[in-house]
């Protein structure tokens, strides 16, 4: 970035020169053209073309260059011609570069020189930033960034000022990641703590992109890998943030379970969940509570999962905690997938029952592909579809979802749905689950 030029117009030649060129509009166009040439070539050179000249423009050009421009609508002025005219004028003591600096009140530098100065300033800024965050978690990242020229980080911005500001932001993010204090924070709270603005890390913001990059770097350094799931691709960012102690969703991210006990990261039983198990009650658990769990344990090492909340409520009322049950309630949330991860640690067998429509079958298939342990479909046969069938027609667009059903245990059910083009619901066969 160019520094502000502070040459004051204290002597008469400078003042007279500025007045002369500022009072004649055609020279503003001409001098701007030569400034662009200077920035490109690093010297006062090149030729500037002036078009659509007025009578006043022609008179001003003739007066300065002592040449006839009569009848011309355009003119091409070379740097050498301008320099010669300037030298022969009453402003001969002022060189062309000095004139540009006086007129635009900034130092004239070529692009090559500008880039060199910016590079020097940037390296100096990086050294200062590294020293500022010495002996903090961010120091290692800053060191890697400074030493490896192959690292690209376009989110830092274009100007030196933007880069410095966002380097500080990135360092603050790394140092403040909640997992370092063995806790979780909601995204808005974390944003407010780090930046003072709860919406700073919202989707689509530059700050949000920086947070994403820092989270990726951190989990990689800890030997963790957040693989983009082809089964649930939208969960990748949520899982990444969860790994550094940040919760992207709050109120809607919960798991509904019954008859499931859990152990915390220190190995002790979770008193609250243990209490619900003893009472035989169902419970809705938010993601920030699930974050403290290390392992989940079920009655008889079996978990029954249903898609529909009404059926889930009936099962909970019937079993009273003697069997473990969970409600997926449509598309799986991160909280439910984390519960599945915890269940897999204890080799829990899963029985899953969903609705008989294209979306329901696809969710069932995705969950089976996701779960690494024993997973069986529960009352999702063709026979159960026929018993659950309603009069609600399925449109052609939704029917195409059935093309994605490849599990051999769901193929017959999918074919039956294709034939009748009617949805089936768990509520219509609730008694078979009991």
């Amino acid at each position: 970035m160019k520094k502000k030029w502070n040459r004051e117009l204290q002597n008469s030649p400078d003042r007279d020169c500025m007045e002369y060129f500022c009072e004649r509009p055609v020279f503003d166009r001409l001098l701007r053209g030569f400034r662009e040439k200077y920035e490109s070539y690093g010297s006062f050179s090149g030729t500037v073309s002036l078009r659509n000249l007025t009578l006043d423009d022609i008179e001003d050009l003739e007066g300065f260059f002592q040449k006839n421009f009569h009848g011309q609508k355009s003119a091409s002025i070379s740097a050498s011609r301008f320099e010669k005219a300037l030298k022969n004028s009453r402003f001969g003591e002022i060189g062309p570069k000095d004139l540009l600096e006086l007129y635009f009140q900034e130092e004239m530098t070529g692009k090559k020189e500008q880039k060199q100065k910016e590079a020097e300033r940037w390296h100096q800024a990086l050294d200062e930033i590294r020293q500022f965050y010495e002996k903090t978690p961010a120091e290692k990242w800053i060191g890697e960034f400074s030493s490896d020229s192959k690292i690209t980080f376009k989110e830092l911005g274009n100007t030196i000022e933007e880069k410095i500001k966002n380097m500080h932001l990135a360092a603050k993010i790394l140092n403040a990641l909640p997992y370092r204090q063995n806790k979780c924070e909601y995204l808005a709270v974390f944003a407010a703590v780090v930046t003072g603005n709860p919406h700073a890390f919202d989707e689509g913001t530059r700050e949000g992109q920086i947070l994403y990059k820092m989270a990726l770097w951190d989990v990689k350094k800890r030997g963790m890998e957040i693989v983009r799931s082809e089964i649930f691709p939208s969960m990748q960012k949520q899982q990444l943030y969860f790994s550094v102690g940040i919760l992207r969703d709050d109120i809607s991210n919960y798991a509904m379970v019954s008859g499931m006990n859990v152990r915390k990261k220190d190995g002790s039983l979770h008193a609250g969940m243990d209490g619900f198990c003893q009472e035989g009650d169902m419970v809705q658990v938010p993601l920030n509570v699930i974050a403290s769990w290390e392992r989940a344990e079920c009655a008889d090492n079996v978990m029954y999962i249903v898609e529909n909340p009404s059926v889930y409520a009936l099962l909970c009322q019937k079993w009273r905690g003697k069997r473990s049950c969970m409600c997926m309630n449509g598309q799986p949330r991160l909280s439910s997938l984390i519960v599945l991860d915890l269940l897999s640690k204890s080799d829990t067998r899963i029985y899953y029952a969903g609705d008989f429509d294209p979306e329901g079958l696809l969710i069932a298939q995705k969950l089976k592909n996701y779960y690494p342990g024993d997973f069986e479909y529960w009352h999702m046969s063709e026979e159960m579809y026929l018993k659950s069938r309603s009069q609600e027609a399925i449109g052609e667009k939704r029917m195409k979802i059935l093309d994605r059903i490849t599990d051999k245990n769901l193929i017959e059910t999918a074919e039956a749905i294709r034939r009748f083009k009617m949805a089936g619901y768990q509520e219509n066969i609730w008694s078979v689950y009991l």
Side-chain angles (χ1 to χ4, degrees), residues 34 36 80 101 133 148 170 181 211 296 310 319 373 406 417:
F34 281 126
E36 291 179 5
S80 58
E101 290 176 338
Y133 293 100
D148 191 347
Q181 287 78 41
L211 171 61
S310 299
W319 293 340
T406 57
I417 295 174

Side-chain angles (χ1 to χ4, degrees), residues 51-77:
R51 304 184 185 281
N52 301 318
L53 296 174
T54 66
L55 291 176
D56 289 339
D57 292 338
I58 291 173
E59 288 183 5
D60 292 336
L61 291 174
E62 289 179 341
F64 181 75
F65 290 101
Q66 296 296 303
K67 181 183 179 299
N68 184 11
F69 287 88
H70 186 69
Q72 294 185 215
K73 291 294 183 181
S74 61
S76 295
I77 310 296

Side-chain angles (χ1 to χ4, degrees), residues 153-164:
F153 199 172
K154 63 181 181 180
E155 287 82 6
L156 287 181
N158 299 316
T159 68
I160 298 294
E161 285 73 16
E162 287 178 330
K163 290 179 180 179
I164 293 173

Side-chain angles (χ1 to χ4, degrees), residues 7 20 30 51 112 225 241 283 291 312 323 348 378:
R7 178 171 172 177
Y20 179 87
L30 186 60
R51 304 184 185 281
K112 184 177 180 180
E225 186 177 7
Y241 284 13
V283 58
Y312 167 73
R323 292 186 182 182
T348 302
W378 189 35

Side-chain angles (χ1 to χ4, degrees), residues 36-53:
E36 291 179 5
K37 302 293 183 185
Y38 199 103
E39 290 175 344
S40 297
Y41 306 133
S43 62
F44 192 85
S45 55
T47 299
V48 176
S49 296
L50 300 174
R51 304 184 185 281
N52 301 318
L53 296 174

Side-chain angles (χ1 to χ4, degrees), residues 162-265:
E162 287 178 330
K163 290 179 180 179
I164 293 173
K165 173 187 174 184
N166 289 321
M167 281 291 290
H168 279 289
L169 174 61
K172 289 178 181 178
I173 288 172
L174 282 175
N175 290 340
L177 289 176
Y179 84 91
R180 301 190 193 282
Q181 287 78 41
N182 294 316
K183 64 179 183 179
C184 280
E185 286 181 350
Y186 293 121
L187 180 62
V189 174
F190 180 71
V193 169
V194 175
T195 71
N197 176 9
H199 299 290
F201 299 137
D202 285 357
E203 199 73 28
T205 64
R206 173 178 286 180
E207 291 81 359
Q209 293 170 340
I210 293 174
L211 171 61
Y212 180 75
K213 285 281 187 75
M214 293 301 96
L216 280 176
W217 182 88
D218 185 88
V219 297
K220 183 178 180 181
K221 289 301 172 184
R222 286 188 281 150
M224 302 170 65
E225 186 177 7
I226 307 296
V227 180
R228 185 179 185 276
S229 172
E230 296 299 327
I231 304 170
F232 298 109
S234 63
M235 294 294 177
Q236 191 262 350
K237 183 175 281 191
Q238 289 193 48
Q239 290 175 321
L240 171 65
Y241 284 13
F242 185 75
S243 298
V244 296
I246 297 173
L247 309 178
R248 294 187 70 221
D249 194 5
D250 45 15
I251 302 301
S252 63
N253 214 325
Y254 57 84
M256 292 190 288
V257 296
S258 175
M260 184 184 81
N261 224 325
V262 299
R263 295 193 178 273
K264 297 185 291 185
K265 296 188 184 297

Side-chain angles (χ1 to χ4, degrees), residues 68-125:
N68 184 11
F69 287 88
H70 186 69
Q72 294 185 215
K73 291 294 183 181
S74 61
S76 295
I77 310 296
S78 67
S80 58
R81 184 177 180 183
F82 183 89
E83 186 174 3
K84 182 178 180 181
L86 181 64
K87 186 175 183 180
N88 293 331
S89 72
R90 55 193 172 100
F91 313 119
E93 296 179 3
I94 301 173
K97 180 185 177 183
D98 292 330
L99 173 59
L100 292 178
E101 290 176 338
L102 280 170
Y103 188 85
F104 295 106
Q105 284 295 288
E106 61 187 22
E107 182 182 12
M108 288 296 110
T109 55
K111 289 183 179 179
K112 184 177 180 180
E113 186 181 354
Q114 290 175 30
K115 288 182 179 179
Q116 183 178 352
K117 287 183 178 181
E118 286 182 357
E120 292 173 355
R121 186 182 171 202
W122 176 230
H123 287 305
Q124 181 182 351

